[in-house]
């Protein structure tokens, strides 16, 4: 299992080829609408077979995988990803609860969902306002949530240790977090935790946390007008010097240089 991070606040795309994607999780919500073909998904600890017209709603930090059972040309999956900050009315529920059954059948899908989905696919996120994108997504969730039974996370069966560690870090990597503090949270030794990272993720704890923070910082650069100092603080660093050093080691340039190249003259307040 691995942790996936995207830099855009919202993404929508169509998959028409055979899709095999291993178990992973991320901090944004994901909607998978099966328009054509058959799709097997693992969501949490359960496996589901999705037919045309059905929608899977994956909450943040829930492990899931894809396995397309239909051939390319017979498959169409409409997939949307969104950061929860775009959905303030639903953010608390998305971060603290999970649906008892994350699959909605075709007869549970209100026509408003199909309308909003169609409009989102017509929009260019780079040119559209976040307010419009968030409003259309909120309309979808408003209709879907009325069909879902939500439960608290504490009522879920416990995950295996590696999965639980990854999910925990996903919720806390922007805070003061150390190998020792995470080990203490799970009641294991820090050397055992270090081995989990080496064996499961192939990297150190520090490298993993820094990767998540760097991805988040780049997302802020691309989608906000925050200055570099504030981005460093938002990404979990206590001082800008440390942030700049790790950023340059990761991307080969300073945060200011990166932003100037990627965003050009369209981003304001880029002072370091």
């Amino acid at each position: 299992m691995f942790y996936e991070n995207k830099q855009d606040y919202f993404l929508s795309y169509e998959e028409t080829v055979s899709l095999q994607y291993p178990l992973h999780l991320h901090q944004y919500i994901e909607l998978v609408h099966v328009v054509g073909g058959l799709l097997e998904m693992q969501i949490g600890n359960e496996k589901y077979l999705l037919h045309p017209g059905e929608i899977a709603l994956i909450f943040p930090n829930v492990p899931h995988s894809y396995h397309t059972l239909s051939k390319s040309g017979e498959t169409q999956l409409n997939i949307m990803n969104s950061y929860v900050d775009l959905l303030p009315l639903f953010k608390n529920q998305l971060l603290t609860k999970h649906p008892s059954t994350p699959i909605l059948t075709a007869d549970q899908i209100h026509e408003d969902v199909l309308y909003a989905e169609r409009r989102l696919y017509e929009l260019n996120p780079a040119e559209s306002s976040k307010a419009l994108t968030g409003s259309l997504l909120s309309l979808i969730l408003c209709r879907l949530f009325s069909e879902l039974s939500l439960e608290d996370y504490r009522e879920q069966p416990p995950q295996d240790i590696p999965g639980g560690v990854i999910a925990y870090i996903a919720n806390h990597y922007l805070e003061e977090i150390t190998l020792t503090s995470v080990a203490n949270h799970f009641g294991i030794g820090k050397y055992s935790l270090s081995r989990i990272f080496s064996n499961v993720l192939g990297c150190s704890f520090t490298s993993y946390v820094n990767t998540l923070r760097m991805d988040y910082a780049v997302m802020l650069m691309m989608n906000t007008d925050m200055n570099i100092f504030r981005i460093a603080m938002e990404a979990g660093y206590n001082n800008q010097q440390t942030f700049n050093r790790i950023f340059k080691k990761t991307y080969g340039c300073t945060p200011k240089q990166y932003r100037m190249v990627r965003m050009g003259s369209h981003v304001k307040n880029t002072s370091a």
Side-chain angles (χ1 to χ4, degrees):
M1 181 165 57
F2 67 96
Y3 192 91
E4 182 183 46
N5 232 319
K6 291 186 171 73
Q7 298 172 357
D8 299 279
Y9 70 93
F10 172 77
L11 286 171
S12 62
Y13 47 98
E14 293 183 357
E15 289 286 356
T16 57
V17 298
S18 182
L19 184 66
Q20 315 294 329
Y21 207 69
L23 199 64
H24 65 289
L25 48 78
H26 41 62
Q27 64 177 341
Y28 37 86
I29 67 164
E30 183 165 326
L31 289 93
V32 181
H33 183 189
V34 179
V35 179
L38 291 175
L39 178 68
E40 183 181 71
M41 292 192 72
Q42 179 176 334
I43 304 175
N45 296 319
E46 302 294 330
K47 287 189 176 181
Y48 303 91
L49 180 62
L50 279 76
H51 298 82
E54 296 183 331
I55 290 179
L57 178 58
I58 300 101
F59 277 35
N61 303 317
V62 174
H64 58 288
S65 65
Y66 298 88
H67 176 59
T68 306
L69 300 180
S70 47
K71 299 178 182 178
S72 297
E74 300 175 357
T75 299
Q76 182 181 338
L77 309 176
N78 291 351
I79 302 175
M80 293 187 288
N81 299 137
S82 174
Y83 276 92
V84 296
D85 287 341
L86 204 61
L87 302 159
L89 295 176
F90 299 95
K91 183 175 181 179
N92 183 61
Q93 289 173 297
L94 290 169
L95 294 177
T96 61
K97 297 182 179 296
H98 70 100
S100 57
T101 302
I103 309 301
L104 296 106
T105 59
D107 59 0
Q108 292 178 291
I109 310 302
H110 193 278
E111 61 182 10
D112 287 347
V113 174
L114 302 179
Y115 162 77
E117 179 186 77
R118 186 168 60 252
R119 288 290 296 120
L120 284 165
Y121 272 86
E122 293 170 353
L123 296 176
N124 181 344
E127 299 175 356
S128 304
S129 71
K130 292 182 183 178
L132 176 57
T133 303
S135 295
L136 289 168
L137 281 170
S138 294
L139 174 58
I140 290 175
L141 291 187
C142 184
R143 291 302 189 184
L144 295 185
F145 270 35
S146 67
E147 299 289 339
L148 294 173
S149 175
L150 300 181
E151 303 174 354
D152 291 337
Y153 269 119
R154 62 176 177 269
E155 296 173 3
Q156 277 189 301
Q159 297 179 349
D160 61 295
I161 289 293
V165 168
I166 292 171
Y168 179 82
I169 294 174
N171 283 317
H172 298 281
Y173 72 92
L174 299 178
E175 306 168 9
E176 287 282 348
I177 189 172
T178 65
L179 182 70
T180 300
S181 68
V182 176
N184 289 341
H185 176 83
F186 285 91
I188 59 177
K190 65 178 183 179
Y191 297 108
S192 297
L193 179 59
S194 182
R195 284 195 297 272
I196 288 175
F197 277 88
S198 299
N199 296 335
V200 176
L201 297 172
C203 66
S204 69
F205 170 86
T206 300
S207 295
Y208 187 70
V209 172
N210 280 331
T211 297
L212 297 183
R213 289 176 171 177
M214 288 293 111
D215 286 344
Y216 184 71
V218 168
M219 187 278 292
L220 293 178
M221 286 183 188
M222 294 177 65
N223 295 294
T224 76
D225 290 335
M226 290 182 188
N227 60 39
I228 301 300
F229 174 78
R230 184 179 173 193
I231 287 174
M233 299 300 107
E234 292 287 332
Y237 294 96
N238 290 327
N239 64 77
Q240 190 177 332
Q241 289 72 27
T242 300
F243 173 73
N244 287 350
R245 175 176 54 79
I246 296 173
F247 193 99
K248 188 170 184 178
K249 181 179 179 181
T250 303
Y251 295 103
C253 62
T254 67
K256 185 175 181 178
Q257 290 168 337
Y258 184 95
R259 188 177 225 178
M260 290 176 65
V261 171
R262 292 294 298 272
M263 304 299 291
S265 60
H266 297 293
V267 177
K268 302 176 182 178
N269 300 324
T270 60
S271 60

